[in-house]
Amino acid sequence: MIQPVNSKNFIAFSAKEDNKGYTHDTLLKNNFATRTKIGIDKFVNALTVYPAKGLKGSKNSNFYEFLTLGMVPYLVGSATLMGVFNLANKYYSNFSRTKASMNGRKFALGVLFYGLMKNISKSFISRPLKLISGVDIEQPYAKVIYELPDDINDTDITSIEHHKVFESVDFPRWDLFYTDDYNHKNRNLIYDRYAFKLGLGRNLNDSDQEVKPRVKEIAVKAGLAKSISSYLWAAVGVAFAFQSPWEKYLNIMTFNPKDKEKFLKSVKAFGTSFLESAKTLYKGENGSKYSGRILLFTAAASTVLGLVNTLHSSHSVNDNGNEIFKKGEKYVKA
């Protein structure tokens, strides 16, 4: 049985702790360090452990591992897309090679900005939502999996999967939010905080029961908002990469810090091209005066409207956060 987790016992983890650091499913801090460690852990396992388990037909191979393996073709596909437009340049004439090389570099930059904006833009929904409502829809946790032994001498039969509390909107991991406060012995401490942030009131008898429908609604709406806005921001990233000022940087770019002078010049050119490309995207060029603005405003509007819709609740309450009975009428929610 999964035991409630104390809110003070967030555990930072390393690769060495993956099979020994957890004795039960555990909430993790949602910060850059944790997200980086989770990303590295998934990527390394997707390249090594999970393919090996699948190829040998391990009885412990599961759907989580199958989904995690999707990282590999995504990255390989991105690298292939970058290479397709650059590797054939040597077969062109000098003039054609120059044009093709620049377009190929812009395609590569577009692939890079697509991925960055698609992932970064998700925080445009989740961060404001957490500040306003207190609900972190990206809250990660470590799930302990007890596997079947592959060998009679196999003693290490646990593995760690990294999930999000609201990964399933039908079955969120509500149990991980129950805790024991050392001063008040309040198992609903986290739910009390949610209730206050959501305007449901203080000192509720069963704050968890009051909060769960509202938080679930937020998770569903936020998921839709992220899906729509992230692709629009990804389109902004691609459009940004194809602005002509990037040509100044792409012509002199280098990633070799040993050539200090050229490297510093490249870094400076990147900053200049970045700012000028942003201006060009907004102001437009070559007759496309409004297309960049329309794309930017559409992406921004999808984020704002998504947040507004997410924060608007169908579970309304009165000022005290209580349900109301009206005389002579059936039970009504305020």
Side-chain angles (χ1 to χ4, degrees), residues 205-221:
N205 292 330
D206 297 295
S207 59
D208 55 339
Q209 300 306 313
E210 295 283 348
V211 162
K212 285 177 182 178
R214 179 69 181 100
V215 173
K216 185 175 180 179
E217 181 186 17
I218 287 174
V220 173
K221 290 181 176 180

Side-chain angles (χ1 to χ4, degrees), residues 50-51 60 77 88 136 141 148 182 199 210 229 241 243 252 254 265 278 328:
Y50 299 159
N60 293 309
D136 185 1
Y141 74 94
L148 297 171
Y182 290 118
E210 295 283 348
S229 66
Q243 300 305 305
I252 63 171
T254 179
K265 187 177 180 181

Side-chain angles (χ1 to χ4, degrees), residues 88-258:
N89 291 344
K90 61 183 179 181
Y91 299 107
Y92 302 148
S93 64
N94 290 335
F95 178 77
S96 298
R97 185 183 305 133
T98 302
K99 291 293 184 181
S101 177
M102 182 56 64
N103 286 332
R105 290 174 183 176
K106 284 186 176 180
F107 271 113
L109 198 63
V111 172
L112 179 62
F113 283 163
Y114 174 91
L116 287 174
M117 289 303 296
K118 188 173 183 296
N119 286 281
I120 292 173
S121 61
K122 293 178 182 179
S123 65
F124 298 168
I125 297 290
S126 60
R127 292 291 178 85
L129 184 60
K130 183 179 179 181
L131 289 173
I132 296 171
S133 69
V135 179
D136 185 1
I137 57 173
E138 302 291 339
Q139 178 70 62
Y141 74 94
K143 182 178 180 63
V144 179
I145 302 296
Y146 294 95
E147 299 182 334
L148 297 171
D150 292 316
D151 185 87
I152 57 173
N153 297 316
D154 193 357
T155 57
D156 185 13
I157 58 172
T158 62
S159 66
I160 301 298
E161 295 179 0
H162 296 109
H163 295 269
K164 294 179 181 178
V165 173
F166 299 106
E167 195 169 77
S168 169
V169 293
D170 292 318
F171 304 101
R173 288 300 304 273
W174 299 119
D175 57 295
L176 296 178
F177 289 135
Y178 289 105
T179 182
D180 291 320
D181 180 64
Y182 290 118
N183 296 320
H184 303 94
K185 302 296 181 185
N186 182 10
R187 294 185 70 245
N188 282 2
L189 180 63
I190 294 177
Y191 288 107
D192 288 344
R193 293 171 182 169
Y194 281 163
F196 175 71
K197 273 277 194 178
L198 293 170
L200 298 174
R202 293 179 181 270
N203 304 318
L204 301 179
N205 292 330
D206 297 295
S207 59
D208 55 339
Q209 300 306 313
E210 295 283 348
V211 162
K212 285 177 182 178
R214 179 69 181 100
V215 173
K216 185 175 180 179
E217 181 186 17
I218 287 174
V220 173
K221 290 181 176 180
L224 176 63
K226 283 196 306 178
S227 297
I228 295 174
S229 66
S230 64
Y231 282 103
L232 287 170
W233 283 112
V236 171
V238 174
F240 180 52
F242 275 85
Q243 300 305 305
S244 57
W246 279 115
E247 295 176 8
K248 299 176 184 177
Y249 167 69
L250 296 173
N251 281 324
I252 63 171
M253 68 174 182
T254 179
F255 301 104
N256 182 14
K258 293 182 179 180

